[in-house]
Amino acid sequence: MDLRPAPDPGVLIDKLVPANPAAPIMEMAPGGMSRTAADRLAALTEGGARAACAMIHLAEGGHMRLVGGHNLPPGFEPMQQVPMSSTLAGVLVRTGFPLVVSDVEADDRVPADAPVRAVGIRAYAGFPVRDPAGAIVGVCAVMDYQPRQWQPDELTAVDNGAQACTAFVAEQRAHEAEYQQRRFLDTMLDSLDTGVAACAADGHLVLVNRSLRERLNLPADVTDLDRWSTWLPITTTDGEPVDPAQMPLGRALHGTDVRGNEFAVQTRDGRRLMRINAHPITDHQGNRLGAVSVHHDITDAHHAAHLQEMLSRAKDEYLNLVGHELRTPVTIIVSYLELMAEAEPDTRAADLVPLIEAARRGSERLRRLVEALLDLSALDAGRTELTVTDIDLVTVVNGATCANEANAQAKSISLTQTTPARMPLQGDPRRLTQMVTALVDNAITYTPKGGAVSVTVSGDDTTAVIDVTDSGLGIPEHERPHVFDRFYRGAVATELAIPGAGLGLPIAKLIADRHHGTITIKPSNGRPGTTTHVELPRNLPTRGDTHR
């Protein structure tokens, strides 16, 4: 029999509520339980306290939120947005002690606007629901429509209901903390550029983070270790296939700690070199829980280490070559100075002139070498700016050819040039003269006596071309890519002891580069000798681009 009175006419009710309304399925806020479980607990508490109805509230901001109830008075739920200070649950939360009211109408602790007054409740007994830290987070209460004295066993039933709610809250808070920790870890792992994969003890893949997933374009059907091991596009660094049984993640799952193994992995960005570490995951008793593998992309680091090694080797070779080239003129100078020092005091000055002249030639060679090194360094580092003006390339070539005329005559070499009347272009006249002089000098140096060297200027509206052709010894095809390397001397130059430091062509190439031009070596169409081919733009880019 339903003993609840009809709603008071003064109470606002949205609609009539059945005597036993069906409890909606809903979830409490984090830290709570489902509405169904809360309703059942309220029903048990109501029965144990022999009360007319029961309810469970949780504190939410400045209000008490109803999360479960049984046989609630009609119109009670729509009134749940009243301030906490107006409710009996709020009184309990404020005081921190259980609240037992035998008669609502006669108890001064009951707020005048308390919802229980509006729905005819006369007796109330509530106990606090606490979180694991002991703070009050809610209330478990029973109510009756008649004044009554609550018996000890009835109050114990309510207290037990509150304790059960506390256990639920503790469990849910633990689940919430675990969920939040998992979300934190998942987010952190997904934010890493390093790839991470993990599997459970049964081989099921439980994690492949964003970096590794996106790099590998991981298919949806790769969900376990067996599929992972056969699908992963991995080889040794030498390109040899990897046995699926030797995959790092699988080895770790079987108890092997894998560290520092390097593999080649085919990714969406191409072949990448990866260092893969893999470790077993166990509990405190050593029971196997799973395994994790970490994939570090070391492609760039490996490339940088290789470049550093090459740079170190090149530096050593450079220093050796510089030391060798400097040692020769220094040795000449010191040798002749020692000879002069050993001469008799009364030796005639005329007899010492040849020694002085030899030392002078050595010092001149040393000076040219030092100047070439400094010039090469300045051009290479961009510390020397071009003085760009409108010039006539034919005038530049004429000057460079004339400067080498004496060297050509000394070897009985025919030095000729073929040029148009004019070839205007933009460039640095001093540097271009230096370039052409170096090319002509190189051609004369490697041409035997009685040979020929020709200089030709041609071009079109956009490009000027300089060809320096000799009838010399020629350059083998395998040596041509290296002729512009610093201090490079071909096999013929070494065998015939042709003097030179190997800096003329590198400097010429830097000058051509600074003018946005190109310089290449070509064979002379089946004839003995070599052609050095230079192409220069007749109009240079803006000043900022020229001084690169």
Side-chain angles (χ1 to χ4, degrees), residues 27 74 87 137 141 155 163 168-169 221 235 239 254 261 263 304 325 364 394 407-408 435 454 466 492 504 526:
E27 292 293 321
T87 65
V137 295
L155 296 177
Q163 295 297 327
F168 272 117
V169 169
D221 64 341
T235 65
H254 290 88
N261 287 14
F263 299 91
E325 293 300 328
E364 179 63 21
V394 172
N407 293 335
M435 179 190 72
S454 65
I466 305 171
V492 173

Short mmCIF file of all heavy atoms in Angstrom, two decimals, residues 27 74 87 137 141 155 163 168-169 221 235 239 254 261 263 304 325 364 394 407-408 435 454 466 492 504 526:
data_model
loop_
_atom_site.label_atom_id
_atom_site.label_comp_id
_atom_site.label_asym_id
_atom_site.label_seq_id
_atom_site.Cartn_x
_atom_site.Cartn_y
_atom_site.Cartn_z
N GLU A 27 24.96 7.65 -15.75
CA GLU A 27 26.22 7.52 -15.05
C GLU A 27 26.40 8.70 -14.11
O GLU A 27 26.05 9.84 -14.42
CB GLU A 27 27.39 7.49 -16.04
CG GLU A 27 27.43 6.24 -16.91
CD GLU A 27 27.72 5.00 -16.10
OE1 GLU A 27 28.56 5.06 -15.16
OE2 GLU A 27 27.12 3.97 -16.40
N PRO A 74 6.76 11.94 -5.15
CA PRO A 74 6.48 12.60 -6.44
C PRO A 74 6.91 14.06 -6.41
O PRO A 74 6.64 14.78 -5.45
CB PRO A 74 4.97 12.46 -6.59
CG PRO A 74 4.60 11.30 -5.73
CD PRO A 74 5.53 11.34 -4.55
N THR A 87 19.10 22.40 1.86
CA THR A 87 18.78 20.98 1.97
C THR A 87 19.31 20.40 3.27
O THR A 87 20.29 20.90 3.86
CB THR A 87 19.38 20.19 0.81
OG1 THR A 87 20.81 20.25 0.90
CG2 THR A 87 18.94 20.78 -0.53
N VAL A 137 31.80 13.80 0.49
CA VAL A 137 31.48 14.07 -0.91
C VAL A 137 30.00 13.83 -1.21
O VAL A 137 29.55 14.08 -2.32
CB VAL A 137 32.34 13.21 -1.85
CG1 VAL A 137 33.81 13.57 -1.73
CG2 VAL A 137 32.14 11.72 -1.58
N ALA A 141 20.76 8.82 2.73
CA ALA A 141 19.71 9.16 3.70
C ALA A 141 18.45 8.36 3.44
O ALA A 141 18.20 7.89 2.32
CB ALA A 141 19.40 10.66 3.61
N LEU A 155 19.49 3.08 12.08
CA LEU A 155 20.56 4.02 11.78
C LEU A 155 21.82 3.29 11.31
O LEU A 155 22.55 3.78 10.44
CB LEU A 155 20.88 4.87 13.01
CG LEU A 155 19.74 5.79 13.49
CD1 LEU A 155 20.15 6.52 14.76
CD2 LEU A 155 19.37 6.80 12.41
N GLN A 163 28.59 3.72 4.04
CA GLN A 163 29.91 3.09 3.91
C GLN A 163 30.05 2.39 2.56
O GLN A 163 31.12 2.41 1.94
CB GLN A 163 30.10 2.07 5.05
CG GLN A 163 30.17 2.70 6.43
CD GLN A 163 31.36 3.64 6.60
OE1 GLN A 163 32.41 3.41 6.02
NE2 GLN A 163 31.16 4.70 7.36
N PHE A 168 32.20 2.41 -3.01
CA PHE A 168 32.01 2.65 -4.45
C PHE A 168 32.83 3.84 -4.92
O PHE A 168 33.48 3.81 -5.96
CB PHE A 168 30.53 2.87 -4.75
CG PHE A 168 29.76 1.62 -5.01
CD1 PHE A 168 28.72 1.23 -4.17
CD2 PHE A 168 30.06 0.82 -6.11
CE1 PHE A 168 28.01 0.08 -4.42
CE2 PHE A 168 29.34 -0.34 -6.36
CZ PHE A 168 28.31 -0.71 -5.51
N VAL A 169 32.77 4.92 -4.14
CA VAL A 169 33.51 6.13 -4.51
C VAL A 169 35.00 5.86 -4.57
O VAL A 169 35.70 6.28 -5.51
CB VAL A 169 33.20 7.27 -3.53
CG1 VAL A 169 34.16 8.45 -3.75
CG2 VAL A 169 31.77 7.73 -3.67
N ASP A 221 44.78 -4.54 -39.68
CA ASP A 221 44.76 -5.95 -39.30
C ASP A 221 46.01 -6.39 -38.55
O ASP A 221 46.12 -7.55 -38.16
CB ASP A 221 44.56 -6.83 -40.55
CG ASP A 221 45.74 -6.72 -41.52
OD1 ASP A 221 46.49 -5.72 -41.43
OD2 ASP A 221 45.88 -7.62 -42.37
N THR A 235 64.80 -4.77 -42.28
CA THR A 235 65.93 -5.57 -42.73
C THR A 235 67.13 -5.22 -41.87
O THR A 235 67.08 -4.29 -41.05
CB THR A 235 66.28 -5.29 -44.21
OG1 THR A 235 66.74 -3.92 -44.33
CG2 THR A 235 65.08 -5.51 -45.11
N GLY A 239 70.66 -4.74 -45.65
CA GLY A 239 69.58 -5.08 -46.55
C GLY A 239 69.15 -6.54 -46.50
O GLY A 239 68.30 -6.96 -47.28
N HIS A 254 59.81 -12.92 -24.81
CA HIS A 254 60.31 -14.20 -24.32
C HIS A 254 61.45 -14.03 -23.32
O HIS A 254 62.16 -14.99 -23.02
CB HIS A 254 60.76 -15.08 -25.48
CG HIS A 254 59.62 -15.58 -26.32
ND1 HIS A 254 59.12 -14.86 -27.39
CD2 HIS A 254 58.86 -16.69 -26.21
CE1 HIS A 254 58.11 -15.53 -27.94
NE2 HIS A 254 57.93 -16.65 -27.23
N ASN A 261 70.36 -2.64 -31.05
CA ASN A 261 70.32 -3.30 -32.35
C ASN A 261 69.89 -2.30 -33.42
O ASN A 261 68.89 -1.60 -33.26
CB ASN A 261 69.36 -4.49 -32.33
CG ASN A 261 69.92 -5.67 -31.56
OD1 ASN A 261 70.89 -5.53 -30.83
ND2 ASN A 261 69.34 -6.83 -31.73
N PHE A 263 68.66 -1.51 -37.34
CA PHE A 263 67.97 -2.11 -38.47
C PHE A 263 67.64 -1.02 -39.47
O PHE A 263 67.63 0.17 -39.15
CB PHE A 263 66.66 -2.78 -38.03
CG PHE A 263 66.84 -3.90 -37.04
CD1 PHE A 263 66.80 -3.65 -35.67
CD2 PHE A 263 67.04 -5.20 -37.46
CE1 PHE A 263 66.97 -4.66 -34.75
CE2 PHE A 263 67.20 -6.23 -36.55
CZ PHE A 263 67.17 -5.96 -35.20
N ALA A 304 75.20 12.39 -40.01
CA ALA A 304 76.05 13.46 -39.46
C ALA A 304 77.39 12.89 -38.99
O ALA A 304 78.44 13.52 -39.19
CB ALA A 304 75.32 14.15 -38.30
N GLU A 325 103.21 21.17 -49.23
CA GLU A 325 103.45 22.25 -50.18
C GLU A 325 104.24 23.38 -49.55
O GLU A 325 105.04 24.05 -50.22
CB GLU A 325 102.11 22.78 -50.72
CG GLU A 325 101.36 21.78 -51.57
CD GLU A 325 102.14 21.36 -52.81
OE1 GLU A 325 102.92 22.18 -53.33
OE2 GLU A 325 102.01 20.19 -53.22
N GLU A 364 109.45 33.47 -53.08
CA GLU A 364 108.38 33.91 -53.97
C GLU A 364 107.34 32.80 -54.12
O GLU A 364 106.12 33.05 -54.12
CB GLU A 364 108.96 34.31 -55.32
CG GLU A 364 107.91 34.77 -56.33
CD GLU A 364 107.17 36.02 -55.91
OE1 GLU A 364 107.70 36.77 -55.06
OE2 GLU A 364 106.06 36.26 -56.43
N VAL A 394 86.10 40.36 -73.49
CA VAL A 394 87.22 40.25 -74.44
C VAL A 394 88.45 40.98 -73.90
O VAL A 394 89.59 40.50 -74.00
CB VAL A 394 86.81 40.81 -75.81
CG1 VAL A 394 88.02 40.88 -76.74
CG2 VAL A 394 85.71 39.96 -76.42
N ASN A 407 105.44 33.01 -70.36
CA ASN A 407 105.52 31.58 -69.99
C ASN A 407 105.40 30.71 -71.23
O ASN A 407 106.09 29.70 -71.39
CB ASN A 407 104.42 31.21 -68.99
CG ASN A 407 104.62 31.88 -67.65
OD1 ASN A 407 105.75 32.22 -67.30
ND2 ASN A 407 103.54 32.06 -66.89
N ALA A 408 104.49 31.10 -72.15
CA ALA A 408 104.29 30.32 -73.38
C ALA A 408 105.54 30.36 -74.25
O ALA A 408 105.97 29.33 -74.80
CB ALA A 408 103.07 30.84 -74.14
N MET A 435 90.69 34.41 -62.84
CA MET A 435 90.19 33.10 -63.28
C MET A 435 90.80 32.70 -64.63
O MET A 435 91.33 31.58 -64.79
CB MET A 435 88.67 33.14 -63.39
CG MET A 435 88.05 31.83 -63.86
SD MET A 435 86.28 31.99 -64.25
CE MET A 435 86.37 32.92 -65.79
N SER A 454 95.00 27.56 -77.05
CA SER A 454 94.11 28.56 -77.65
C SER A 454 93.04 28.96 -76.66
O SER A 454 92.56 28.14 -75.86
CB SER A 454 93.46 27.99 -78.92
OG SER A 454 92.60 26.90 -78.59
N ILE A 466 83.85 30.83 -72.38
CA ILE A 466 85.31 30.87 -72.54
C ILE A 466 85.79 29.43 -72.64
O ILE A 466 85.50 28.60 -71.77
CB ILE A 466 86.00 31.55 -71.34
CG1 ILE A 466 85.43 32.95 -71.11
CG2 ILE A 466 87.50 31.61 -71.56
CD1 ILE A 466 85.91 33.58 -69.81
N VAL A 492 99.95 12.07 -63.84
CA VAL A 492 100.97 12.57 -64.76
C VAL A 492 101.79 13.68 -64.11
O VAL A 492 103.03 13.72 -64.24
CB VAL A 492 100.31 13.07 -66.07
CG1 VAL A 492 101.34 13.76 -66.96
CG2 VAL A 492 99.65 11.91 -66.81
N GLY A 504 95.14 26.43 -58.37
CA GLY A 504 94.68 27.32 -59.44
C GLY A 504 93.27 27.00 -59.90
O GLY A 504 92.40 27.89 -59.97
N GLY A 526 88.94 13.86 -79.26
CA GLY A 526 89.83 12.83 -79.78
C GLY A 526 91.26 13.28 -79.98
O GLY A 526 92.14 12.46 -80.23
#
